Amino acid sequence: MTSLPASGVLLRALVVDDEPLARLRMRTLLADCTAPSASLEAEASNAVQAMEQLQRQRLDVALVDIHMPGADGMALARSLQSLAHPPALIFVTAHAEHAVQAFELEAVDYLTKPVRLERLQAALQKAERFLQAQAGGQRAAESQDVLIIQERGRTERVPLHQVVYFKAELKYVTVRTAARSYILDGSLNELEEKYGDRYMRIHRNALIARRCVQALEKHYDVEEGEGWAVRLHGVDELLAVSRRQLAAVRELVLR
């Protein structure tokens, strides 16, 4: 799910500009912004570095120059659309002639250099509204997703947002909510492919809801011996974490 800063919380920003002085100027301006305020979390001098930063960490807003060596800001904007959680895009450039193209690429604003603090503040407000709308749309889409469970001669609709984990059991999958368990005729691979943005593979036999992760704990399993397990909000049992997935689960817990 999109990580959304509430009003008054820092917007995590990326500045992309091939000119060091321009990045320094933007860093100074961002430090003076309020409501919303912004924290400069990353800088890049070209599009390649920018994508590396965005693949490494979740950022809320990208302030992007257009004319840069190699792939320009427009190319970077098109690449942003491939990300699962793209930042709000604000172009910052000395050239006004690309404004129409910029908005076609879903930029929330277009600033011309030299940028004034008041103008940057207004752009960040647009970015915050964009992120709020994006998060609201995603929540609405998620609330509409349901699993069709056919069990004991009846068909039941289980909202996906209620599912805490999926666990493979022989030829079936156990679907666990906080209230009860269901049996689903399917495979974990199919579920992971369809809902991988919301559920993480922690073991060959289990997917967990990312939003439900509570803690990672040392655990002894009769079959696998000493290892690690994850504790989830809404259920009492622990689920084993494979060594291969341990680093990814630990990172999720620390977010």
Side-chain angles (χ1 to χ4, degrees):
M1 182 180 291
T2 300
S3 178
L4 179 65
S7 180
V9 177
L10 292 176
L11 288 174
R12 296 162 296 183
L14 164 68
V15 171
V16 188
D17 199 307
D18 63 308
E19 298 180 5
L21 288 177
R23 296 199 302 274
L24 176 60
R25 166 69 174 164
M26 187 56 64
R27 187 185 311 137
T28 302
L29 287 171
L30 288 170
D32 291 334
C33 286
T34 59
S37 54
S39 170
L40 180 57
E41 297 293 322
E43 296 184 24
S45 61
N46 56 58
V48 173
Q49 290 179 5
M51 287 301 293
E52 290 175 350
Q53 292 283 3
L54 288 163
Q55 289 166 354
R56 190 177 304 132
Q57 59 186 315
R58 183 82 62 81
L59 297 168
D60 301 308
V61 58
L63 298 119
V64 179
D65 188 22
I66 291 181
H67 293 285
M68 296 183 291
D72 63 9
M74 293 296 179
L76 173 58
R78 286 186 283 272
S79 298
L80 295 181
Q81 296 173 349
S82 68
L83 296 174
H85 303 285
L89 173 64
I90 299 172
F91 280 110
V92 184
T93 178
H95 306 274
E97 66 269 19
H98 299 290
V100 173
Q101 186 181 0
F103 289 114
E104 288 175 350
L105 291 170
E106 300 183 356
V108 300
D109 212 338
Y110 187 98
L111 307 181
T112 53
K113 299 176 181 178
V115 177
R116 294 179 295 108
L117 176 61
E118 295 80 5
R119 188 68 184 85
L120 175 59
Q121 188 74 77
L124 292 178
Q125 290 171 354
K126 291 181 181 179
E128 186 178 41
R129 290 194 294 271
F130 169 83
L131 292 169
Q132 289 171 342
Q134 187 181 63
Q138 186 170 352
R139 284 194 294 268
E142 289 176 359
S143 67
Q144 294 171 3
D145 282 331
V146 296
L147 298 172
I148 305 300
I149 306 289
Q150 296 181 337
E151 194 176 71
R152 298 187 180 90
R154 62 177 293 183
T155 300
E156 190 164 348
R157 294 165 61 88
V158 178
L160 185 67
H161 67 84
Q162 294 181 5
V163 177
V164 178
Y165 69 75
F166 298 101
K167 190 173 183 181
E169 310 277 1
L170 299 176
K171 296 181 180 180
Y172 303 96
V173 173
T174 295
V175 179
R176 184 70 164 91
T177 69
R180 57 166 293 190
S181 296
Y182 303 86
I183 298 298
L184 179 67
D185 187 6
S187 73
L188 284 186
N189 288 339
E190 292 172 351
L191 292 166
E192 184 177 23
E193 182 176 349
K194 190 171 184 179
Y195 303 121
D197 60 329
R198 283 168 270 177
Y199 291 84
M200 170 186 282
R201 174 84 70 159
I202 63 165
H203 196 278
R204 64 179 180 277
N205 68 351
L207 296 173
I208 62 169
R210 297 173 186 270
R211 61 181 173 78
C212 292
V213 172
Q214 181 178 350
L216 184 63
E217 302 178 5
K218 278 283 191 179
H219 176 67
Y220 179 80
D221 184 86
V222 175
E223 295 182 358
E224 300 188 11
E226 289 286 347
W228 292 86
V230 67
R231 185 176 298 279
L232 304 172
H233 292 287
V235 296
D236 293 330
E237 64 264 39
L238 295 171
L239 294 180
V241 177
S242 69
R243 290 184 177 87
R244 177 179 295 181
Q245 296 301 115
L246 182 59
V249 175
R250 181 176 285 117
E251 180 180 349
L252 184 62
V253 172
L254 294 174
R255 285 180 185 173

